[in-house]
């Protein structure tokens, strides 16, 4: 391949990466919640790896492979840590398991109540029988 065409293509790739990084950085800073920021962080690590791969192709130097592996590992570990220790955002309804009172004891009570309601629905409804009418003064 012609070296000038190769350099032009790498320049276009670098400009594309720069624009994508700026958009993702804005999304990471102003994301509506923490999960959107986590996705932006994952995108940044993937783009950083792509930029290092483009640099490796431009410089014909493979010594960048080890930093790429380290960045991939750190990106994976950071997303695991954020996903595990994330606190729900303000104003959002937390997940069912994170709500207060939904431990094992509460779920057993809820299961019993659900079973009772199901049994009540399944039982045939008894129609009340008319009691004999009595007149005033009569003994019941």
């Amino acid at each position: 391949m012609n070296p000038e065409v190769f350099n032009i293509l790498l320049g276009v790739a670098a400009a594309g990466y720069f624009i994508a990084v700026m958009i993702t950085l804005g999304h990471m800073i102003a994301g509506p919640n923490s999960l959107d920021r986590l996705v932006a962080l994952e995108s940044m690590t993937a783009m950083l790896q792509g930029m290092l791969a483009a640099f490796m192709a431009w410089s014909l130097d493979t010594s960048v492979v080890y930093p790429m592996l380290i960045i991939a590992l750190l990106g994976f570990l950071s997303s695991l840590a954020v996903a595990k220790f994330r606190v729900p955002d303000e104003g959002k309804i937390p997940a069912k398991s994170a709500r207060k009172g939904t431990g094992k004891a509460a779920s057993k009570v809820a299961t019993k109540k659900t079973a009772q309601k199901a049994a009540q629905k399944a039982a045939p409804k008894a129609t009340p029988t008319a009691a004999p009418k009595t007149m005033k003064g009569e003994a019941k």
Side-chain angles (χ1 to χ4, degrees):
M1 177 182 262
N2 189 358
E4 289 182 21
V5 173
F6 186 69
N7 285 335
I8 290 172
L9 289 176
L10 285 177
V12 169
Y17 274 122
F18 179 76
I19 292 169
V21 165
M22 289 299 125
I23 291 171
T24 306
L25 187 63
H27 193 69
M28 190 185 310
I29 292 170
N33 59 24
S34 60
L35 286 180
D36 287 336
R37 290 184 179 103
L38 177 64
V39 170
L41 178 68
E42 286 291 317
S43 299
M44 288 290 274
T45 58
M47 283 186 281
L48 182 59
Q49 289 178 347
M51 286 187 278
L52 286 174
F55 174 76
M56 194 167 52
W58 176 70
S59 67
L60 300 175
D61 183 19
T62 59
S63 65
V64 185
V65 172
Y66 295 116
M68 284 176 65
L69 289 173
I70 291 171
I71 290 169
L73 180 65
L74 289 177
F76 173 72
L77 292 177
S78 68
S79 63
L80 280 182
V82 170
K84 181 164 178 68
F85 300 112
R86 183 178 89 83
V87 176
D89 296 330
E90 293 294 323
K92 303 288 182 184
I93 297 173
K96 186 175 182 180
S97 62
R99 289 186 202 143
K100 186 176 181 180
T102 58
K104 288 184 179 179
S107 66
K108 286 181 182 178
V109 170
T111 305
K112 286 181 183 178
K113 288 181 181 178
T114 306
Q116 288 174 353
K117 286 181 182 179
Q120 287 175 354
K121 286 182 181 178
K125 294 187 178 186
T127 57
T129 56
K133 295 184 179 179
T134 59
M135 300 179 106
K136 285 187 177 179
E138 286 186 18
K140 293 183 181 179

